[in-house]
Amino acid sequence: MMLEPPVRIAMLTAMPKLLAFAISLCRNRDQAEDLVQDTLLRACANIKSFTPGTNMLAWLCTILKNHFLSQCRKNRRSFEPLDAHADSVASKPTQIAHAEYRELWAALAKLEHRQREVLIMVGASGLSYDEVARICGCPTGTIKSRVNRARTELSRLLSIEGEDFEEDRVIAAAIASRDRTAMSAQRSA
C-alpha cells in the first residue's frame, strides 16, 4: 500500500520520538526498534482509521503502547527494572553527561510505571496532556497530576531542590571568556 506523501512524512518525523517512547517501555534498544517497526507496519495497514489533521505521533504512540501491552500479556512478561539492562549495554561513563544520563535513567526507573510513562510522553515526546490522556484512557487532570508527582519525585531522587543548583565552573568560565571577547571586540570597533 502506497502512503500519501504527507502521511509518510508525518510517520518519518514521529520515528525518533516513537523510538524514545518504545525504549522507555522496553528498556532494550533492539526490542524497542522491533516494536517501532511493528507499530509502523500496523499503522500502514490501518491508515484508513487515522483522522487527517490529528496528531500522528499521538496515534502512533497509542498503537505502540497497545501492541507493547499485548506482547507483555502474550509473553506473560513483567516490566523489568532498568538496572537489569543498563550494566549489560552501557559502558562506564567517561564524561559528566554520561554519568548524568545514567543517573537520570536510574531515577526514572524508580518512578512508578504510570508516572514514568506519562512523564516520558509529555516531557520527551512532546505530547500534550490531552493527547496523553487519550492514549492512556484517563482524564487530563489525572495525567497532569501524574506528571506533577513524577517531576516532584524525580527532583527528589536527583536531589534537585529549588534554585540551589551548583554552578558549573567550566560553563561559567566559557561564558566569562565569551563576555570578555565581546567586550574586547566592542572596544576595538
Side-chain angles (χ1 to χ4, degrees):
M1 171 180 214
M2 195 68 169
L3 296 175
E4 295 292 323
V7 173
R8 188 172 48 248
I9 291 169
M11 283 184 163
L12 292 173
T13 303
M15 283 180 61
K17 291 181 179 180
L18 200 60
L19 180 60
F21 181 49
I23 290 171
S24 76
L25 293 174
C26 298
R27 297 187 191 92
N28 178 297
R29 186 171 183 93
D30 292 334
Q31 289 174 346
E33 288 173 353
D34 290 344
L35 184 60
V36 169
Q37 183 176 358
D38 289 345
T39 299
L40 293 174
L41 288 172
R42 287 172 185 262
C44 288
N46 297 297
I47 196 65
K48 292 185 190 235
S49 68
F50 177 70
T51 307
T54 60
N55 189 327
M56 175 65 76
L57 179 60
W59 185 66
L60 292 171
C61 283
T62 302
I63 295 170
L64 185 139
K65 180 183 174 189
N66 290 339
H67 184 55
F68 173 74
L69 293 174
S70 294
Q71 283 182 330
C72 286
R73 283 190 291 273
K74 179 180 172 187
N75 297 333
R76 292 189 181 130
R77 194 183 102 196
S78 62
F79 296 102
E80 298 174 28
L82 178 63
D83 295 338
H85 296 289
D87 290 333
S88 66
V89 295
S91 60
K92 297 292 179 195
T94 56
Q95 297 176 352
I96 293 172
H98 289 280
E100 289 172 346
Y101 173 81
R102 193 171 175 149
E103 183 181 351
L104 173 64
W105 275 103
L108 281 169
K110 292 177 183 176
L111 293 178
E112 178 190 325
H113 170 71
R114 288 181 177 172
Q115 290 178 351
R116 180 177 54 246
E117 178 182 54
V118 296
L119 186 62
I120 299 251
M121 282 194 274
V122 169
S125 297
L127 296 174
S128 72
Y129 290 114
D130 292 333
E131 292 166 336
V132 174
R134 281 192 297 275
I135 291 169
C136 293
C138 61
T140 303
T142 301
I143 298 302
K144 288 180 179 180
S145 177
R146 284 181 191 168
V147 169
N148 184 45
R149 284 193 305 263
R151 286 178 177 156
T152 301
E153 181 63 11
L154 195 59
S155 295
R156 186 190 67 74
L157 290 168
L158 295 172
S159 300
I160 298 173
E161 298 174 10
E163 297 185 57
D164 298 328
F165 292 104
E166 190 174 307
E167 184 176 344
D168 186 308
R169 284 180 256 166
V170 174
I171 292 174
I175 291 170
S177 173
R178 182 196 68 198
D179 292 345
R180 282 193 300 272
T181 304
M183 286 175 30
S184 294
Q186 286 177 349
R187 284 186 212 141
S188 301

